[in-house]
């Protein structure tokens, strides 16, 4: 879908601490966010994915996945509604992608939020606790 004009860069920090997460859910979230970025880019621009550890103290430590695109960005109203179920700016799509992503990330004790500037692009931040335990106490191997 015209992605030959999209430059993709991936940066993963060395020696990342282990996180406890449901890998299927995490994969769905990342696929969804990256797909949104590709659609926003509409065939040209760049997409950058970086995975880093927080500089916070150990008990608040997290791994952060940042997905940044140089798409058209969003206005204030769209940003506010981005995670609301069934809200979409597209002619196709259910508007459930980010709402579901937020639910999946929260279920793993993490957070997801975005920053966006019109004409500049959008960055999605997914933060997952280092070596945490899922809220129901169930240990999940990464």
């Amino acid at each position: 879908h015209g992605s030959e004009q999209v430059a993709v860069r991936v940066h993963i920090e060395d020696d990342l601490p282990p996180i406890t997460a449901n890998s299927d859910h995490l994969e769905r979230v990342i696929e969804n966010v990256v797909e949104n970025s590709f659609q926003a880019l509409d065939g040209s621009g760049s997409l950058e994915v970086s995975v880093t550890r927080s500089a916070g103290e150990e008990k608040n430590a997290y791994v952060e996945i940042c997905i940044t695109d140089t798409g058209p960005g969003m206005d204030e109203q769209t940003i506010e509604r981005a995670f609301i179920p069934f809200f979409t700016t597209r002619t196709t799509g259910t508007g459930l992608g980010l709402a579901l992503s937020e639910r999946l990330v929260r279920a793993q004790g993490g957070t997801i939020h975005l920053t966006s500037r019109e004409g500049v692009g959008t960055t999605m931040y997914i933060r997952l606790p280092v070596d945490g335990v899922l809220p129901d106490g169930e240990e999940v191997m990464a």
Side-chain angles (χ1 to χ4, degrees):
H1 48 67
S3 62
E4 64 278 350
Q5 301 297 310
V6 175
V8 178
R9 286 189 297 281
V10 177
H11 165 74
I12 299 175
E13 207 172 86
D14 291 334
D15 299 324
L16 285 170
I19 60 171
T20 301
N22 179 313
S23 56
D24 289 342
H25 289 177
L26 193 53
E27 191 176 328
R28 276 180 76 181
V29 169
I30 293 168
E31 274 177 11
N32 178 30
V33 172
V34 168
E35 191 174 313
N36 283 354
S37 289
F38 265 111
Q39 286 176 338
L41 289 168
D42 200 23
S44 69
S46 68
L47 174 69
E48 190 163 334
V49 179
S50 70
V51 185
T52 54
R53 74 181 315 162
S54 70
E57 47 192 289
E58 272 318 300
K59 67 179 187 333
N60 297 321
Y62 55 83
V63 168
E64 182 170 70
I65 303 162
C66 285
I67 300 165
T68 301
D69 67 58
T70 58
M74 301 177 211
D75 61 26
E76 209 53 52
Q77 218 175 5
T78 305
I79 293 169
E80 282 173 21
R81 295 178 177 172
F83 293 99
I84 296 173
F86 307 113
F87 173 75
T88 181
T89 57
R90 295 194 211 117
T91 47
T92 60
T94 59
L96 283 174
L98 286 183
L100 177 64
S101 294
E102 183 178 40
R103 222 175 69 217
L104 293 175
V105 170
R106 282 183 190 274
Q108 298 173 75
T111 61
I112 181 170
H113 74 279
L114 65 86
T115 58
S116 188
R117 283 182 49 211
E118 285 187 278
V120 178
T122 301
T123 300
M124 190 71 68
Y125 302 90
I126 300 162
R127 291 179 175 171
L128 295 160
V130 168
D131 233 352
V133 175
L134 291 185
D136 61 1
E138 175 198 349
E139 287 277 0
V140 175
M141 298 313 291

